[in-house]
Amino acid sequence: NQDLSDQKLKEDGVVIDALPDTKFRVKLNDGREILAYLAGKMRMNYIKVIVGDKVTLELSPDGNKGRIIFRR
């Protein structure tokens, strides 16, 4: 199980828009904008993410969607 998480593509970005259902529009460091949702662990621990936060994401294989796994 640990091997799968190591293969996920991690990117850093900045939240530029907050959408309903804990979804966010994130601008990646390479300039792309993607739709990202909040990871379950972040919801469980009530970690709030607001516009302007720097975040780390795990990208889907196609690179169009992501999951926010860390807020800096």
Side-chain angles (χ1 to χ4, degrees), residues 13-50:
V14 178
V15 176
I16 56 172
D17 195 12
L19 305 167
D21 274 347
T22 63
K23 289 194 170 86
F24 300 91
R25 190 153 308 281
V26 178
K27 187 173 185 100
L28 300 180
N29 289 345
D30 61 9
R32 291 184 297 160
E33 285 184 16
I34 65 164
L35 189 65
Y37 67 93
L38 207 54
K41 290 244 184 205
M42 292 188 66
R43 285 187 194 186
M44 279 174 34
N45 293 307
Y46 302 105
I47 295 172
K48 301 293 181 215
V49 175
I50 57 172

